[in-house]
Amino acid sequence: MNDTAIQAGPERARPTVNTVGGGADTAARPVVIVHGSMDRSAAFRRVTDHLQDRTVLGYDRRGWGQSRSLGGADVDHQVHVDDLHAVLAELDTPVVLGHSYGALVAMAAAAAAPSLVAGIVAVEPPVRWLPWWPADDPWEQTVRRAAAEGGPEQATRALLTELLGPASRLHLARAQPSDLAADGVTLISEMTDPTVDLPRFDPLTFPTPTVVVAGSRSAPHHRDVARRLAELLPHGRFAEIPGAGHASHVSHPQELARLVQEIDLIEEQRR
């Protein structure tokens, strides 16, 4: 495994970027994965199995996985955008695959520095400042209620139960309470970060080719916002993955990998 590092400001420790897939086609654009909340870059292994022609890079965002110790109260959405900018600056205009919160990071990064990104696959980005996003998102309510009743650990347990259903039982049985509590602290921080509610880009002038993705079994507002966002983007397209929920990178990796490959076609059509 090859490692490189992110520099996000002179005083910040640097998360590690892992090469999770080495492509045989050196002419193919690399892919950078930006995971969402309650997740890790390693969860995208099944997707990278279907991108064997490309170099695929991933990193754990601050507060999660290998970068858990790099989280904190001073880590807001812009810090995550800065981290991604540092990764992109070392590459030759890659495709970015962003999931959930990570999709929002990807789009904000591309809006600020469009020359660094060839295209984006944005899976159910929580664009909370669009008018179609509900004032009381059900997952946010779940986290707030559980945190008030039992603290960060309970917040993690509640959201995992809602996301995974019966499959969460085994995961929670194996997890250490200290790990669940640490994840809960970061989860609450990301869900209550007021900067996420501010417009991070203008959809009507967004310059980057983008496939906005939603699973057919995802929450109605996730599907609706994804579809409407794609309609607003000048170079956007909406893609629904039949049978998938929010975690399509786990349940439908091949379908998601195909959408990553589609960015090349969109680029060719623009030329």
Side-chain angles (χ1 to χ4, degrees):
M1 179 177 291
N2 298 323
D3 296 337
T4 186
I6 306 170
Q7 179 66 53
E11 298 180 357
R12 289 189 181 275
R14 302 188 295 179
T16 298
V17 180
N18 298 317
T19 302
V20 295
D25 184 358
T26 57
R29 293 191 184 277
V31 177
V32 176
I33 292 170
V34 189
H35 68 81
S37 301
M38 293 297 300
D39 210 353
R40 314 287 188 272
S41 60
F44 289 77
R45 290 280 186 180
R46 295 177 183 176
V47 178
T48 63
D49 288 344
H50 298 284
L51 293 171
Q52 296 183 3
D53 62 324
R54 298 175 180 266
T55 297
V56 182
L57 304 159
Y59 64 97
D60 290 348
R61 291 191 298 103
R62 296 175 185 273
W64 303 107
Q66 295 180 351
S67 300
R68 176 178 287 164
S69 63
L70 304 182
D74 63 335
V75 176
D76 61 10
H77 191 265
Q78 186 58 49
V79 173
H80 293 292
V81 172
D82 292 342
D83 280 346
L84 179 55
H85 276 158
V87 177
L88 299 174
E90 299 296 321
L91 300 171
D92 183 14
T93 53
V95 174
V96 180
L97 168 58
H99 178 257
S100 196
Y101 186 100
L104 197 61
V105 171
M107 296 191 75
S115 64
L116 297 181
V117 184
I120 297 172
V121 176
V123 184
E124 299 184 17
V127 193
R128 299 192 329 209
W129 38 267
L130 287 181
W132 307 285
W133 192 265
D136 292 314
D137 174 77
W139 290 350
E140 293 174 16
Q141 290 186 54
T142 294
V143 170
R144 285 198 300 267
R145 186 183 310 112
E149 295 173 353
E153 179 187 342
Q154 187 57 36
T156 302
R157 290 181 178 278
L159 187 58
L160 283 175
T161 299
E162 191 161 318
L163 287 174
L164 303 178
S168 66
R169 297 173 186 169
L170 181 59
H171 178 86
L172 291 172
R174 292 174 173 175
Q176 294 294 322
S178 59
D179 291 334
L180 296 174
D183 283 349
V185 169
T186 302
L187 174 65
I188 294 167
S189 176
E190 291 188 350
M191 281 196 166
T192 59
D193 175 10
T195 67
V196 181
D197 293 324
L198 302 175
R200 309 296 295 177
F201 56 87
D202 182 355
L204 296 176
T205 61
F206 193 72
T208 307
T210 303
V211 179
V212 188
V213 185
S216 67
R217 298 178 62 188
S218 289
H221 68 282
H222 283 177
R223 299 196 310 271
D224 189 39
V225 168
R227 178 178 56 80
R228 290 176 181 269
L229 174 61
E231 292 172 351
L232 294 175
L233 300 174
H235 311 290
R237 185 179 87 77
F238 174 67
E240 184 176 82
I241 299 181
H246 189 62
S248 56
H249 59 297
V250 176
S251 64
H252 292 70
Q254 186 172 8
E255 290 84 346
L256 192 55
R258 287 198 191 106
L259 295 174
V260 172
Q261 304 281 25
E262 184 180 309
I263 291 295
D264 293 332
L265 299 176
I266 296 176
E267 273 196 291
E268 290 176 3
Q269 292 172 358
R270 293 183 66 197
R271 291 172 186 169

